[in-house]
Amino acid sequence: MATTSSSPDRIATLDIVRGVAVMGILAMNIVAFAMPVGAYMNPMAYGSETSLDLAAYAFNFILIDGKMRGLFSFLFGASMLLVIEKAEAKGLNSASVHYRRMLVLLLFGAMHFYLIWFGDILFGYALIGMVAWFFRNMAPRKLIALGATLIFLQFLIMASFAYSAQGLSVAASQPGASADTVAAWKEMSLWVRVPSSVELAEQMGRALGPWTSLVHYQLTEHRWEPLIFSLTFGPETLGYMLFGMAALKSGFFAGSWDEQSYTRVAVRGFLIGIPIYLVIVSLIFLDGFSPVGLFWLAMVATVLVRPIMIVAVAALIIILTDQGGWLVERIAAAGRAAFTNYLGTSILMTGLFYGWGLGLFGELSRAELWLVVIAAWVVMLAWSKPWLERFEYGPLEWLWRSLSRGSLQPMRKPALPAVV
């Protein structure tokens, strides 16, 4: 069932799934670009005025939130292993090749976080990718077993976090609670609760202020956040990368399984995952989007079922794109230029919503943001294929490759000879 590729050294299925993943990531990140931080997990925090907005939240929660990021992590592990294997096949020092790539990616991630947008994932990918190197030679079954163990560890970490949050919430609500306790709860729950008018004004002012103020805020108030985030979600991220390596070794990401096998994976995954997610999102609505409820339901209850959904989504993508076509070719091109599309999207979205650009922060509802998402998808699909018909790599892929190798890499494709 493998799909052909325009380049003999690429696996087209990887590019296609990566293209869908980088497009899907924006569908969830758009809320964090366009609204105060609490709105990402709590629709009551901002931007939900109609039932359509709440439906958009539920749709994203069930099918997109965490699945596209997880799929991107799977693909990162698979692509990382592919680079290592190609380096070894050429007789190169694969460790040197790998760690130079990760160090350059670490630099890109830091620049992304401090200079462009707080939602960076590249810094963590680089750090965890350095650890994933040590598991490159494991058999698929062992990779899956170790990955599952890491996912369970992530579940325990998030459960411990939610338990602490619940205790702090109770302590902060008691009569005579200390100012430090109340402040600690406000800080801990900032990402999941409705902001106060003062907090909302601060966030709006910061987003709509000058770019230099945003950079200063990141460098002073959140200087350690990339490292903290990487450590907090490290087990899950590493587990996903190991799953991706196993998927490549088993032929799943190569598109070499038969259609019945992919269908079986997709159907079983969705039959397990979707009902559980429906129950979770229903409980969130019934609970009234309370901060403690969101900690337990959105951050803990989803950890163990999310990998099942990710694999099902990947299988469905492979099934639906098996026959190729003009749209699939453009999605594959977007996947080949995923690094450029990911960072380019951050620049485009912050330019659209932040004060240094058009300043639309807080202006659109959750449902209206889908219009922006679709427009950005059109841009990704429109530029990637024509560019890659003329050049070997996307712009930032070329820069990453050149910096990793310490020399400028050939960019433009050689002209094809004329046919008489």
Side-chain angles (χ1 to χ4, degrees), residues 114-369:
Y114 294 113
L115 303 181
I116 302 174
W117 185 55
F118 66 87
D120 172 73
I121 58 174
L122 300 178
F123 189 95
Y125 277 17
L127 285 180
I128 304 304
M130 294 179 186
V131 178
W133 154 266
F134 296 99
F135 307 101
R136 68 196 184 281
N137 293 324
M138 271 191 174
R141 288 184 179 275
K142 290 185 177 180
L143 287 168
I144 293 171
L146 179 56
T149 303
L150 290 166
I151 299 302
F152 186 72
L153 175 59
Q154 187 70 56
F155 172 79
L156 296 178
I157 292 172
M158 300 315 295
S160 174
F161 186 68
Y163 181 78
S164 299
Q166 183 174 342
L168 190 57
S169 172
V170 172
S173 64
Q174 296 298 316
S178 68
D180 289 344
T181 300
V182 173
W185 168 242
K186 285 185 175 181
E187 178 67 24
M188 190 177 201
S189 62
L190 181 64
W191 292 85
V192 294
R193 62 174 169 82
V194 178
S196 67
S197 57
V198 173
E199 290 170 331
L200 182 59
E202 289 177 352
Q203 292 186 42
M204 296 290 287
R206 189 160 50 245
L208 296 173
W211 173 74
T212 51
S213 296
L214 287 168
V215 174
H216 181 264
Y217 180 75
Q218 291 296 94
L219 288 170
T220 55
E221 300 298 322
H222 296 281
R223 67 172 68 93
W224 301 113
E225 190 167 305
L227 183 59
I228 293 171
F229 182 87
S230 301
L231 295 175
T232 302
F233 294 94
E236 182 180 59
T237 304
L238 179 57
Y240 287 168
M241 289 183 185
L242 299 186
F243 287 155
M245 293 164 72
L248 181 67
K249 290 188 175 189
S250 69
F252 179 89
F253 272 152
S256 58
W257 289 17
D258 60 79
E259 186 174 353
Q260 286 185 341
S261 297
Y262 284 113
T263 302
R264 187 162 52 247
V265 169
V267 169
R268 289 177 179 176
F270 286 129
L271 285 177
I272 295 171
I274 289 180
I276 295 175
Y277 265 93
L278 282 170
V279 171
I280 293 172
V281 78
S282 298
L283 292 174
I284 289 173
F285 273 79
L286 290 172
D287 182 60
F289 304 97
S290 72
V292 171
L294 286 168
F295 275 121
W296 281 109
L297 293 169
M299 298 180 67
V300 179
T302 57
V303 173
L304 297 180
V305 70
R306 189 159 49 234
I308 299 172
M309 285 285 286
I310 294 169
V311 175
V313 169
L316 181 62
I317 294 169
I318 295 170
I319 293 168
L320 294 179
T321 59
D322 180 49
Q323 299 304 314
W326 68 270
L327 181 58
V328 174
E329 290 178 0
R330 288 190 174 271
I331 293 173
R336 286 182 61 191
F339 189 48
T340 300
N341 278 317
Y342 173 72
L343 289 177
T345 298
S346 290
I347 297 171
L348 184 62
M349 292 299 109
T350 52
L352 183 63
F353 293 109
Y354 283 13
W356 60 264
L358 297 181
L360 295 180
F361 190 85
E363 294 293 327
L364 302 178
S365 71
R366 190 176 295 268
E368 289 171 339
L369 288 176

